[in-house]
């Protein structure tokens, strides 16, 4: 019996480790490739297009040749009104985010990414998918103050890089909200493979326009080195990250996922200062990021509590606390996704989406699914 319990738990921690390793590795790898001080390939749009082209090609073979996944019923109307705008903002978020690596450190970028809940909440309120709330607003204010303090303490503060990163964050936030508003209202669910199949080629086309105007002339006149194995391994890591997120969403609870994300950020900040010595962290950086992180943790707690409260029947506080603990504890060994509706068709708000900045294709139904499936099972 103990073996049956321990094996899924070991797998869960293994998937979390793989996710943290790949997510951190892709970010550090991108920084190394783009940085003029290291591999010196200062063409972020080209790098992003390589990722999109590779991911789209792999998805095509998985869907059309190997029949690993079944394509959804895609009409021209759905493609024009849903896939194209989502792909446009997805491409924009990756373009601006990768360009930021040229100007600011990985550590400072991770600190700025604490603004993601703020951006998503603002976009959700503007699009009518969320309502203004005093408690959430106070958390957003705390996050913003923390990021401002962290920015003030940044030794190598760069306005251009900061603007690129913040713009990328808001583009990704709008992409998340559009995914909910456009795809979910039409009842369309995309798993990781079908997401790449539809969105990656479209994002590649969108990126071609700025690439042709901004980077093609630079490639023509400069001596840019191109190493096939470097770019192949880089694109392969980005693709593997997409699938690791799929595994993590499938085997862990909502709180565990969020804690893993916070842990990954701290690991990234520490690793980046070792790998890239020019990345200097000040005490004010840490204080500001800690303040912002407090706001993010409180925000995550509010959102998880809201979802669970909407799923649980009216009951006393002690019983609810006990059940909340059981939901999180049991989620790692009960939930095994067996069809595409488990991933990517969430009914929760966009601000509850689990994603990663390097692989933000799949909105997660994890929170709503957690409440749905666990309530239908007896507590053992």
């Amino acid at each position: 019996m103990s073996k049956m319990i321990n094996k899924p738990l070991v797998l869960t921690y293994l998937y979390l480790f793989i996710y943290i390793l790949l997510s951190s590795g892709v970010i550090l790898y991108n920084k190394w490739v783009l940085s003029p001080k290291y591999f010196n390939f200062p063409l972020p749009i080209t790098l992003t297009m390589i990722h999109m082209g590779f991911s789209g090609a792999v998805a095509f073979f998985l869907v059309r040749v190997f029949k690993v996944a079944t394509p959804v019923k895609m009409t021209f109307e759905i493609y024009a009104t849903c896939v194209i705008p989502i792909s446009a903002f997805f491409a924009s978020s990756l373009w601006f985010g990768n360009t930021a690596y040229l100007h600011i450190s990985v550590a400072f970028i991770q600190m700025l990414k604490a603004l993601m809940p703020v951006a998503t909440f603002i976009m959700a309120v503007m699009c009518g998918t969320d309502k203004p709330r005093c408690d959430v607003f106070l958390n957003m204010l705390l996050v913003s103050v923390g990021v401002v303090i962290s920015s003030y303490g940044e030794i190598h503060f760069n306005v251009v890089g900061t603007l690129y990163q913040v713009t990328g964050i808001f583009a990704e936030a709008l992409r998340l909200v559009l995914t909910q508003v456009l795809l979910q209202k039409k009842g369309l669910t995309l798993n990781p493979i079908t997401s790449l199949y539809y969105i990656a080629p479209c994002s590649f086309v969108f990126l071609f326009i700025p690439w042709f105007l901004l980077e093609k002339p630079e490639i023509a006149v400069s001596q840019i080195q191109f190493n096939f194995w470097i770019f192949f391994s880089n694109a392969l890591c980005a693709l593997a990250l997409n699938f690791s997120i799929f595994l993590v969403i499938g085997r862990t609870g909502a709180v565990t996922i969020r804690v893993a994300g916070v842990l990954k950020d701290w690991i990234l900040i520490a690793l980046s200062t070792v790998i890239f010595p020019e990345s200097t962290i000040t005490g004010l950086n840490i204080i500001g990021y800690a303040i912002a992180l407090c706001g993010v943790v409180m925000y995550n707690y509010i959102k998880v509590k809201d979802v669970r409260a909407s799923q649980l029947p009216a009951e006393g506080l002690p019983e609810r606390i006990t059940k909340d603990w059981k939901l999180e504890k049991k989620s790692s060994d009960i939930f095994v996704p067996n069809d595409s509706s488990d991933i990517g068709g969430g009914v929760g708000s966009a601000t509850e989406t689990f994603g990663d900045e390097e692989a933000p294709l799949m909105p997660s139904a994890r929170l709503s699914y957690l409440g749905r499936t666990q309530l239908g099972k007896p507590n053992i």
Side-chain angles (χ1 to χ4, degrees):
M1 181 68 179
S2 61
K3 289 184 178 179
M4 292 178 63
I5 295 174
N6 289 336
K7 186 177 179 181
L9 286 174
V10 170
L11 281 175
T12 298
Y13 287 119
L14 176 62
Y15 291 155
L16 282 170
F17 174 76
I18 292 172
Y19 158 69
I20 292 174
L21 183 67
L22 284 172
S23 181
S24 304
V26 168
I27 292 172
L28 294 171
Y29 203 167
N30 285 351
K31 172 67 175 179
W32 181 83
V33 169
L34 292 168
S35 177
K37 294 184 179 180
Y38 298 95
F39 186 71
N40 191 23
F41 187 80
L43 303 171
I45 305 175
T46 305
L47 184 66
T48 308
M49 288 179 71
I50 292 172
H51 289 181
M52 292 298 97
F54 181 77
S55 298
V58 170
F60 177 83
F61 278 100
L62 290 176
V63 172
R64 292 298 181 184
V65 179
F66 299 106
K67 310 293 183 182
V68 173
T70 304
V72 300
K73 187 177 181 181
M74 181 67 67
T75 65
F76 177 77
E77 180 197 358
I78 293 176
Y79 193 87
T81 59
C82 297
V83 175
I84 289 178
I86 289 171
S87 300
F89 285 105
F90 175 49
S92 300
S93 68
L94 292 181
W95 168 21
F96 293 130
N98 282 336
T99 304
Y101 290 126
L102 297 175
H103 305 280
I104 53 180
S105 67
V106 171
F108 187 48
I109 284 173
Q110 293 307 120
M111 295 176 189
L112 289 175
K113 284 177 182 175
L115 286 172
M116 189 66 206
V118 179
T120 311
F121 180 68
I122 291 172
M123 292 300 176
V125 171
M126 290 176 61
C127 294
T129 61
D130 211 337
K131 296 179 181 179
R133 290 171 47 179
C134 184
D135 54 351
V136 175
F137 175 77
L138 290 175
N139 284 333
M140 299 300 97
L141 187 63
L142 185 62
V143 171
S144 302
V145 169
V147 171
V148 169
I149 293 173
S150 182
S151 301
Y152 184 77
E154 176 65 17
I155 294 176
H156 305 293
F157 182 80
N158 183 285
V159 176
V160 174
T162 303
L163 287 176
Y164 268 119
Q165 183 58 47
V166 172
T167 304
I169 288 171
F170 274 88
E172 170 61 7
L174 189 52
R175 202 272 314 171
L176 292 175
V177 176
L178 284 177
T179 299
Q180 181 194 6
V181 172
L182 299 177
L183 287 184
Q184 293 174 12
K185 281 190 176 181
K186 294 184 181 293
L188 191 66
T189 59
L190 299 175
N191 63 33
I193 299 174
T194 52
S195 292
L196 291 170
Y197 178 72
Y198 291 110
I199 294 175
C202 191
S203 297
F204 182 92
V205 173
F206 273 106
L207 289 167
F208 179 81
I209 300 171
W211 175 83
F212 185 83
L213 296 174
L214 300 175
E215 293 189 359
K216 184 178 179 295
E218 186 177 347
I219 293 174
V221 299
S222 60
Q223 298 294 325
I224 299 294
Q225 58 177 327
F226 188 92
N227 185 308
F228 172 81
W229 294 109
I230 291 291
F231 291 104
F232 175 76
S233 59
N234 184 259
L236 190 63
C237 288
L239 179 66
L241 178 56
N242 274 284
F243 295 113
S244 74
I245 293 174
F246 173 75
L247 294 174
V248 168
I249 290 173
R251 299 197 66 91
T252 62
V255 176
T256 306
I257 287 173
R258 293 165 187 269
V259 170
V262 172
L263 178 62
K264 181 208 73 175
D265 290 340
W266 281 110
I267 291 173
L268 252 178
I269 290 172
L271 277 178
S272 66
T273 57
V274 175
I275 298 173
F276 306 110
E278 68 274 10
S279 302
T280 306
I281 298 178
T282 65
L284 209 53
N285 279 146
I286 297 298
I287 293 172
Y289 185 59
I291 293 172
L293 202 59
C294 287
V296 172
V297 170
M298 291 167 61
Y299 168 79
N300 286 340
Y301 172 76
I302 289 173
K303 301 310 292 185
V304 172
K305 186 178 69 172
D306 287 348
V307 173
R308 287 177 172 173
S310 68
Q311 299 292 342
L312 293 173
E315 55 191 5
L317 182 60
E319 292 84 358
R320 175 159 300 187
I321 292 173
T322 302
K323 186 168 287 187
D324 277 356
W325 179 80
K326 286 182 178 180
L327 291 180
E328 176 64 23
K329 182 176 181 295
K330 291 174 67 179
S331 64
S332 63
D333 53 38
I334 287 179
F335 177 77
V336 178
N338 52 19
D339 66 66
S340 62
S341 64
D342 293 342
I343 302 295
V347 294
S349 72
T351 50
E352 293 149 12
T353 302
F354 169 71
D356 191 278
E357 60 281 345
E358 293 300 324
L361 284 171
M362 298 88 67
S364 168
R366 185 65 194 136
L367 293 181
S368 56
Y369 193 93
L370 178 67
R372 245 187 359 256
T373 52
Q374 302 295 342
L375 287 174
K377 298 179 182 289
N379 288 322
I380 300 172

